[in-house]
Amino acid sequence: MDGFGGTTLRINLSTEEIERTPTDPEFARSWLGARGFVSKILYDEVPRDADPLGVDNLFIVTTGVLTGSFCPVGSKVGFGCISPATNGHADSSMGGHLGPELRYAGYDLIVMEGIAAGPTYLYIDDDTIELRPAGDYWGMGSLELEKRMKKDLGDDFQIATIGPSGENGIVFSCITHDFGRQAGRCGVGAVMGSKKLKAIAVRGTKSLPVHDLDSMYKLTYDIIQRTKTHPNMAPWQKYGTAFFVGWSNERGCFPTKNFQETYHKDWEKIDGERLVEDCLVSDKACFGCWMNCGKYTRARIPGKPDTYQEGPEYETIALVGGSCAFTDINHVAYANHLLDDIGMDTMSGGSTVAFAMECYQRGIITKDDLEGHELRWGNIDDFEHFVRMIAARRGIGDIFARGTKGAAEALGRGTIDFASQAKGMEFSGYDTRWYPAQLLSYCTCDIGAHHSKSWTITTDIELGRDTIEGKAEVVIYLQHIRPLFDTWSCCRLFWGELDVTPEEHVDSIKHLTGWDVTLEECMRVSERVWNLNRAHFIERNGGPGRKFDVAPARHLDEPIPGGPAEGKVVGRENFEAMLDDYYANRGWDEDGNPTREILDDLGIGYAADNLEKLGFLGKPIPGGIPKVRGRELKPKAM
Ligand code: SF4
C-alpha cells in the first residue's frame, strides 16, 4: 500500500500475544490516520464503562497518512485512549522522530490492550517485536531514561518514555520523546503507565513506498523554496513559539496568576528574547523540518544544578511562567525540565500548580497541607516541592493529582469557579474573557479545553472581540481544519505560519498514496471524527451533551481587573447564545445532542442507534440539518 508502512500491530500486554495484520486500505482511506484511527477504534472497542486506568482501556500508538513524508512535515505520531482526565476520547500527538521511525519499521498503527504483569517496554527493531522487562527503568525520570535507553540500545533507536507521574496515574501525565517533545494532553502518559508500559523503543530501516516520487519531490522542493523567505520564518526560527508571549500579553489574553489577571507586568523577563539571550544552547527540529522552532536551553539558578531541556515554548511560558507568576526565564526553564522529567504535561501541570497557588493565596490550603512549605506566586522552590508532592501523591498532592476539576470537586468551597478547565482538561495559554470564540472553542472541544483543535484569538480580533456574532460558524470550521493536521499527522505550523495550503497537503497525500482524494473529503472525515467523538462522550458520560459544554464561572462572570482587557468578560447570556448558535450550525439539537440526520449524513448512523437507545439522540431539526457546517474566515484564520 503506497504511502504506508503496511502493517498494523495488535499487542495484548496481559498475554504477550502479538498479532501482525496488513493495514486495511479501506479503513485507512475512511479515517486517514492518527486521530481518525483512534476515534473509530475507541468507539468500536472500548466498553462504555471501562475505567480509563483499568484493564479494558486501549492504548494506541498511531501514525497518519503523512507521517514519515517530507510534506511539510510528517513528523508526528499520535497516542489514543480513553482519557482519565475527561473520561472521553483522547488523542494527543507529538513531533520528533518516533512516528517516521515506526513507519520505516513497517508499522502504521499499534493497538495495545490488557495490562502487563510487571514493568515492561516495547522493543521494535524492524521485524523484531518484543515485550521486554523494564526492570530498573521503572521509577526513572523521562529524560533520564531516554538517555539511558539510548546508551543501552543504541543512538539510532527512537524512544518514548513516561516518568514517575505516569507510573502513579497522575491524570495529566505525558509521554516524552526526543528529550523534550511531548504528547502532553489528555493524560495519555497515565494510561501508558496503567498498562505498566514504561517505554517504547523503535528502529526502522525500511523505506516508505511513494506512489509518484517525482511529483512528491517537486511539490516539496517548491514549498521549501517558497517558505524559506516567508516573513514569519525568521522569528519562528529565532525564538520558536516563545516570541508569542509579548503579542498575547499586549492583547490581554496572557494567563497570569491562575487567570486572575491577563497581563503580566514582568513579561519581558520571561519572553522569547530573554529565553534566547539567557538560556539558548541550540536550535532543534523535528524530522524533516526546516523551520526548527525547537529551542534547546540551559537553566541556571544559584544553588540548583543546571538543567538542559527543550523549551520552554509558548504554552509552557503562559501556564507555568505567567499563570504561576514567575519573573525569571531561568525559573520557567527549570520548571519545564522538572515537569518533563517527572512526566507531567507542562500545560495542565502548570495550571494545576497555579490553581493550588490561588488556593494558598485564599487560605484554602495552608502550610499544614504542604508539609510545612509555602506555595507562593513565582517561587521556584515552592513550585518544585508541590510538583513532587503531586507526582508521589503525598498528602494533598493526591487531590491535585486529579487535575484542577478533580481537585476542586474534592476541595469544595467554591474552588471550581476559578478552575480554568473544560470537561476536566485545563485551558491552554489564552484567557477568554475578551475572546468569546476561544471560550466556545475550549468548552465544546471534544478532548477537553485545547487550543490545538480550535485557536480563535485572531478570529475574535477580526470579527470583533466584543461581539458573539458569527463566532460559532468559524469555530466549527476551525474544529474541522485544525484537527485534520492531527489526523494527517503532520506539523500544523507550516499552514498556520508559512501559508502552505491545505490543498498542497492534499496534493502530497495524492502523490504519496495514489488516492484521488480531495480536501472536501478530508474535511468530511474530520467532521465525522468530531461527531463520533461527541456521541462517544455522551454514551460514556450520559447526556444531554449540553451539560458538559460548561464554562468556568471566572470566564463568564469575573471582569478582568486591569491591563489591555480591563473590564472584559463574556457573560452567561452570551455564552449560552453562542452554544445555541453552535449546535444549530452543527446539526445538533438545542440540548447539544447530535441528530440522526447529521450522523447518517456522515456515514456513522450506528452512533445514532446507540444514542437513541440511551435516550440522547437529538430531536429532528425543523427544516433539516444545515448543508454547510462551519465557515472559513477569509483572508486567513488559524
Ligand atoms: Fe517540529 Fe517546530 Fe518543525 Fe513543527 S515547526 S515540525 S513543531 S520543529
Side-chain angles (χ1 to χ4, degrees):
M1 188 160 78
D2 286 344
F4 285 81
T7 300
T8 292
L9 291 177
R10 290 254 171 188
I11 299 178
N12 187 318
L13 294 161
S14 304
T15 64
E16 302 196 357
E17 282 167 290
I18 297 171
E19 182 190 83
R20 298 164 160 89
T21 51
T23 301
D24 177 357
E26 208 182 305
F27 176 74
R29 179 77 184 257
S30 301
W31 299 95
L32 296 174
R35 173 174 150 90
F37 288 174
V38 166
S39 175
K40 176 65 172 159
I41 293 168
L42 293 177
Y43 187 86
D44 284 353
E45 298 186 26
V46 180
R48 295 298 180 261
D49 60 353
D51 173 358
L53 298 180
V55 70
D56 289 331
N57 199 0
L58 296 177
F59 178 66
I60 301 170
V61 187
T62 169
T63 64
V65 63
L66 287 172
T67 305
S69 79
F70 287 91
C71 156
V73 289
S75 59
K76 302 277 179 174
V77 64
F79 296 88
C81 55
I82 299 297
S83 163
T86 69
N87 196 37
H89 161 104
D91 69 83
S92 188
S93 67
M94 69 183 175
H97 304 262
L98 182 75
E101 197 78 17
L102 200 56
R103 272 267 166 108
Y104 298 153
Y107 307 104
D108 302 307
L109 171 66
I110 309 173
V111 182
M112 286 178 255
E113 61 182 86
I115 293 180
T120 296
Y121 77 93
L122 174 63
Y123 172 90
I124 299 178
D125 186 4
D126 282 336
D127 296 335
T128 304
I129 305 170
E130 293 169 6
L131 290 168
R132 294 183 168 184
D136 62 343
Y137 292 166
W138 198 255
M140 287 178 74
S142 287
L143 302 173
E144 187 195 2
L145 177 59
E146 186 169 356
K147 203 163 143 194
R148 164 81 180 274
M149 289 182 75
K150 289 259 184 194
K151 199 163 160 238
D152 291 350
L153 301 175
D155 255 341
D156 47 353
F157 275 83
Q158 297 300 334
I159 290 160
T161 61
I162 58 164
S165 174
E167 295 172 15
N168 292 335
I170 313 309
V171 304
F172 45 89
S173 300
C174 64
I175 300 169
T176 288
H177 157 63
D178 199 27
F179 301 101
R181 288 280 156 182
Q182 275 86 21
R185 310 241 67 196
C186 308
V188 290
V191 175
M192 184 165 157
S194 74
K195 304 282 174 204
K196 292 266 185 298
L197 189 66
K198 180 68 178 170
I200 300 167
V202 183
R203 178 165 61 184
T205 62
K206 303 176 191 176
S207 59
L208 205 58
V210 178
H211 176 77
D212 182 348
L213 191 56
D214 289 345
S215 302
M216 185 77 197
Y217 177 85
K218 183 174 182 326
L219 176 66
T220 309
Y221 181 84
D222 289 348
I223 289 172
I224 292 172
Q225 296 311 315
R226 193 180 82 219
T227 52
K228 274 199 305 197
T229 52
H230 191 286
N232 283 350
M233 183 60 102
W236 274 85
Q237 285 186 321
K238 185 162 183 196
Y239 303 112
T241 56
F243 88 90
F244 219 60
V245 171
W247 189 95
S248 210
N249 204 47
E250 267 171 41
R251 283 155 187 81
C253 61
F254 189 68
T256 306
K257 292 194 172 175
N258 191 38
F259 293 84
Q260 291 182 81
E261 299 163 25
T262 67
Y263 182 84
H264 192 317
K265 65 180 173 36
D266 290 314
W267 67 276
E268 282 167 305
K269 296 177 180 167
I270 59 168
D271 73 343
E273 224 162 288
R274 186 55 46 209
L275 179 72
V276 168
E277 275 171 28
D278 286 9
C279 305
L280 185 68
V281 176
S282 71
D283 296 336
K284 193 163 173 278
C286 303
F287 164 89
C289 178
W290 59 96
M291 191 158 145
N292 50 269
C293 80
K295 302 296 141 211
Y296 195 66
T297 63
R298 175 176 61 182
R300 280 182 290 189
I301 301 177
K304 290 186 183 290
D306 288 1
T307 61
Y308 291 84
Q309 55 281 315
E310 181 170 348
E313 51 76 60
Y314 172 80
E315 295 295 334
T316 309
I317 298 181
L319 294 167
V320 173
S323 212
C324 296
F326 283 107
T327 54
D328 184 332
I329 193 65
N330 281 283
H331 293 197
V332 185
Y334 181 89
N336 192 154
H337 182 276
L338 173 72
L339 293 167
D340 283 0
D341 199 43
I342 235 162
M344 285 179 189
D345 172 27
T346 54
M347 295 171 69
S348 285
S351 276
T352 301
V353 179
F355 171 71
M357 284 176 166
E358 186 169 345
C359 290
Y360 184 75
Q361 171 197 311
R362 290 167 179 260
I364 293 167
I365 60 174
T366 67
K367 278 167 95 169
D368 291 344
D369 300 308
L370 296 164
E371 302 174 332
H373 286 251
E374 296 196 75
L375 195 46
R376 294 160 291 189
W377 297 111
N379 186 296
I380 190 64
D381 293 325
D382 293 357
F383 182 98
E384 179 166 4
H385 179 262
F386 189 62
V387 165
R388 294 194 186 283
M389 279 185 76
I390 296 174
R393 303 191 89 116
R394 286 200 320 266
I396 204 164
D398 183 52
I399 286 176
F400 287 87
R402 305 169 203 173
T404 55
K405 180 165 179 263
E409 284 166 356
L411 291 167
R413 300 174 67 182
T415 52
I416 194 71
D417 291 350
F418 58 88
S420 294
Q421 55 77 36
K423 297 188 180 70
M425 198 158 79
E426 289 68 27
F427 280 17
S428 303
Y430 308 91
D431 190 276
T432 62
R433 282 170 282 181
W434 201 12
Y435 297 87
Q438 192 60 58
L439 184 61
L440 183 68
S441 298
Y442 286 155
C443 296
T444 56
C445 183
D446 63 352
I447 63 163
H450 191 26
H451 71 290
S452 86
K453 307 296 189 218
S454 168
W455 184 78
T456 60
I457 300 299
T458 51
T459 298
D460 273 310
I461 292 170
E462 282 178 50
L463 290 176
R465 282 175 275 191
D466 294 317
T467 180
I468 58 169
E469 277 316 299
K471 300 284 172 80
E473 290 165 271
V474 181
V475 166
I476 292 167
Y477 169 76
L478 291 169
Q479 287 179 339
H480 296 162
I481 188 83
R482 286 178 68 95
L484 199 45
F485 293 86
D486 298 331
T487 304
W488 290 335
S489 223
C490 62
C491 181
R492 185 185 295 108
L493 294 174
F494 286 79
W495 164 65
E497 302 304 328
L498 300 180
D499 297 321
V500 178
T501 65
E503 287 81 358
E504 286 175 305
H505 288 78
V506 173
D507 284 343
S508 292
I509 297 173
K510 285 183 190 167
H511 301 327
L512 261 176
T513 61
W515 295 346
D516 59 345
V517 65
T518 61
L519 180 59
E520 199 187 340
E521 179 186 330
C522 293
M523 288 291 276
R524 209 171 143 73
V525 172
S526 205
E527 186 178 10
R528 183 182 304 139
V529 169
W530 198 275
N531 278 267
L532 193 63
N533 293 348
R534 178 72 171 190
H536 197 175
F537 195 89
I538 294 171
E539 287 174 39
R540 286 191 64 81
N541 294 284
R546 190 170 192 130
K547 86 174 182 202
F548 301 107
D549 300 333
V550 176
R554 168 160 290 163
H555 294 263
L556 293 174
D557 302 331
E558 200 180 296
I560 293 171
E566 185 173 353
K568 302 294 180 185
V569 70
V570 172
R572 284 174 190 267
E573 215 173 291
N574 278 339
F575 181 68
E576 294 303 326
M578 279 196 298
L579 275 184
D580 289 340
D581 204 11
Y582 176 86
Y583 297 150
N585 276 287
R586 272 213 169 276
W588 299 352
D589 75 359
E590 72 274 12
D591 288 330
N593 293 328
T595 56
R596 181 172 291 282
E597 289 86 333
I598 190 75
L599 296 173
D600 276 345
D601 185 65
L602 294 168
I604 49 174
Y606 48 85
D609 297 340
N610 291 336
L611 287 176
E612 190 163 34
K613 279 184 217 143
L614 294 168
F616 296 121
L617 181 63
K619 295 178 286 298
I621 297 171
I625 57 172
K627 282 208 165 42
V628 179
R629 275 90 60 177
R631 176 171 70 92
E632 186 176 5
L633 185 64
K634 300 280 187 180
K636 183 177 145 185
M638 290 183 288

